[in-house]
Amino acid sequence: MKTKLLGVVGSLNSESLSRLAVRHVLEQAKASGAEVRVLDLRDHPLPMFDPDSREGKEVDHARQEVGWANAFLLGTPDYHGSMSGAMKNFLDYFWKEFAGKLFGYVCASHEKGLTPMDQMRTAVRQCYGWSTPYGVSVTGSDFDTASGKVIHERVKGRLDSLAYDLTTYGALLWAQFDADVRGGNRAAGFAAHHQPRK
């Protein structure tokens, strides 16, 4: 099974550093054999989540992309020690669609981005998704902004590691989860909660 990795850009800034980081990871993941797509919330803005109304062109587009993916890379700026509103709004739209899938995190932050990444990790955990045990924080000095390329070697190494881990473990985790759901073994861990009731 091949990893289908969806990068979600949660920044509406036209010069977003988190967008550059997401693109770098996706490029490396593709080179490692993953299929990759990007959902940029600047280009595809979602309306404010309303539990009574989940329809619309952009909502349908996001739903299709999320349904396609079996692994995710979430990228956000650090806004007041939190993820962006656009990213939180995206996460609010989905639940079971995240179950059994692997998530990685990047954050543009001068404060290491630990709190925003922990918040995204908490949201994913509540949806029964897996998370990489680390995330990657980036700042402006890590990039050549003219080309968008990563110039800080240690940061590049971390982003490359994240691409490898999402590509490798994303396929493994999803293959097992999918087999447990399809197999109908109700003793098969948390996947049993996602099997259709007979």
Side-chain angles (χ1 to χ4, degrees), residues 45-91:
L46 293 170
M48 184 64 70
F49 176 69
D50 178 352
D52 296 325
S53 177
R54 303 186 189 191
E55 303 303 321
K57 177 182 176 182
E58 295 299 355
V59 176
D60 290 343
H61 175 72
R63 188 179 294 117
Q64 290 173 0
E65 296 295 86
V66 167
W68 169 85
N70 57 26
F72 294 84
L73 172 65
L74 305 184
T76 184
D78 181 340
Y79 287 159
H80 309 306
S82 182
M83 72 182 94
S84 70
M87 178 60 73
K88 179 60 171 67
N89 191 50
F90 164 78
L91 292 171

Side-chain angles (χ1 to χ4, degrees), residues 118-136:
D118 279 345
Q119 291 168 346
M120 291 188 290
R121 192 174 285 113
T122 297
V124 166
R125 184 186 68 214
Q126 293 298 108
C127 299
Y128 293 96
W130 300 97
S131 289
T132 56
Y134 65 95
V136 182

Side-chain angles (χ1 to χ4, degrees), residues 10 32 42 67 90 96 111 148 166 176 196:
S32 296
R42 176 181 169 85
F90 164 78
K96 290 185 178 180
E111 300 293 335
L166 287 169
Q176 187 62 57

Side-chain angles (χ1 to χ4, degrees), residues 141-184:
S141 61
D142 298 328
F143 295 90
D144 173 12
T145 52
S147 66
K149 299 298 184 182
V150 185
I151 57 174
H152 192 294
E153 285 303 315
R154 280 176 49 190
V155 171
K156 182 178 181 298
R158 291 176 186 146
L159 292 170
D160 291 353
S161 293
L162 186 57
Y164 173 86
D165 287 338
L166 287 169
T167 301
T168 303
Y169 296 103
L172 290 171
L173 287 168
W174 177 249
Q176 187 62 57
F177 178 84
D178 187 55
D180 288 343
V181 169
R182 293 176 185 275

Side-chain angles (χ1 to χ4, degrees), residues 9 14 17 32 43 71 75 78 125 137 141 159 171 187 198:
V9 178
S14 62
L17 298 175
S32 296
D43 298 330
D78 181 340
R125 184 186 68 214
S137 176
S141 61
L159 292 170
K198 295 181 180 178

